[in-house]
Amino acid sequence: MAQERQGTERVVEGWTGRLFEDFAVGDIYYHPFGKTVTQSDNQTFTLMTQNVSKTHIDANFAEKTKFRRPLVNSTFTLALVTGQSTIDLSMNVFANMGWDEVRMPHPVYEGDTIYSRSKVLAMRPSNSRPGLGLVTVATEGFNQDGIIVISYRRTFMVYRVGYLPGIEGSRPDESSLPAVEGRA
């Protein structure tokens, strides 16, 4: 919502995410961002998490497997697809409650571009926290060829209307911004 400021200037809020009441069972979201997975992504994540599987970081070893090249760390794929879904599902999350039925039906390779989508399966108000609701989604990640590479169910608690903590008090005054220039 825009807020008028000094005649022609206004503060325009960006996308602030969905609250519990914004979801509906059956909604499908195609998340807007794709990511091409690099060798650096795969090796950094693998080493950062102390995963010692040679299939992720040793190209010579991976060449001798049935895949013939390094596989992308499966937990990187889970983290990537969960991250891609955040803009549509959980920008206003209170807590993730769990990931269930995680499946990896097709390998991810360095150089693949991963996209994702989610479908709302269930939702209910929290019994113990009146300012929150629980949402369960099915999420799928797929590669540049439309092949599903990961699927899972995730349940998260999200804020309800009127309960989202605000950060507006930490914003500086707009007076330090330059004046509006003449119109073309």
Side-chain angles (χ1 to χ4, degrees):
M1 193 175 295
Q3 193 175 28
E4 286 297 323
R5 188 171 82 79
Q6 297 179 0
T8 61
E9 298 176 12
R10 60 191 184 133
V11 175
V12 180
E13 293 294 329
W15 173 242
T16 58
R18 289 182 175 79
L19 298 170
F20 178 73
E21 290 81 3
D22 297 319
F23 291 97
V25 172
D27 285 353
I28 298 172
Y29 301 101
Y30 278 82
H31 309 302
F33 302 114
K35 165 80 171 100
T36 301
V37 181
T38 67
Q39 180 186 47
S40 178
D41 294 331
N42 191 30
Q43 290 199 3
T44 299
F45 188 89
T46 297
L47 295 172
M48 201 169 60
T49 58
Q50 300 180 354
N51 181 332
V52 296
S53 176
K54 293 182 274 190
T55 193
H56 303 310
I57 59 171
D58 184 336
N60 184 50
F61 175 84
E63 185 179 303
K64 294 169 179 56
T65 69
K66 82 173 211 170
F67 301 106
R68 314 280 308 151
R69 53 190 165 151
L71 296 177
V72 170
N73 186 316
S74 57
T75 54
F76 174 85
T77 304
L78 176 62
L80 173 61
V81 171
T82 299
Q84 287 177 337
S85 72
T86 299
I87 191 167
D88 290 317
L89 303 178
S90 53
M91 279 180 67
N92 294 317
V93 72
F94 174 78
N96 281 304
M97 305 308 288
W99 286 258
D100 296 300
E101 300 175 33
V102 179
R103 301 291 180 267
M104 313 292 268
H106 190 274
V108 176
Y109 300 105
E110 295 167 354
D112 280 350
T113 301
I114 305 301
Y115 303 94
S116 58
R117 66 183 178 192
S118 297
K119 181 177 185 176
V120 179
L121 301 178
M123 49 188 296
R124 68 171 178 81
S126 171
N127 293 327
S128 61
R129 299 179 183 265
L132 301 169
L134 284 96
V135 178
T136 300
V137 298
T139 297
E140 296 177 322
F142 52 95
N143 69 15
Q144 66 280 352
D145 299 319
I147 297 170
I148 304 296
V149 298
I150 187 171
S151 64
Y152 58 85
R153 289 176 181 241
R154 176 167 71 120
T155 300
F156 53 91
M157 289 183 107
V158 65
Y159 285 97
R160 299 190 73 170
V161 170
Y163 291 90
L164 182 68
I167 60 165
E168 291 77 19
S170 64
R171 293 181 179 173
D173 183 287
E174 285 92 20
S175 64
S176 63
L177 295 169
V180 174
E181 297 178 9
R183 296 178 186 236

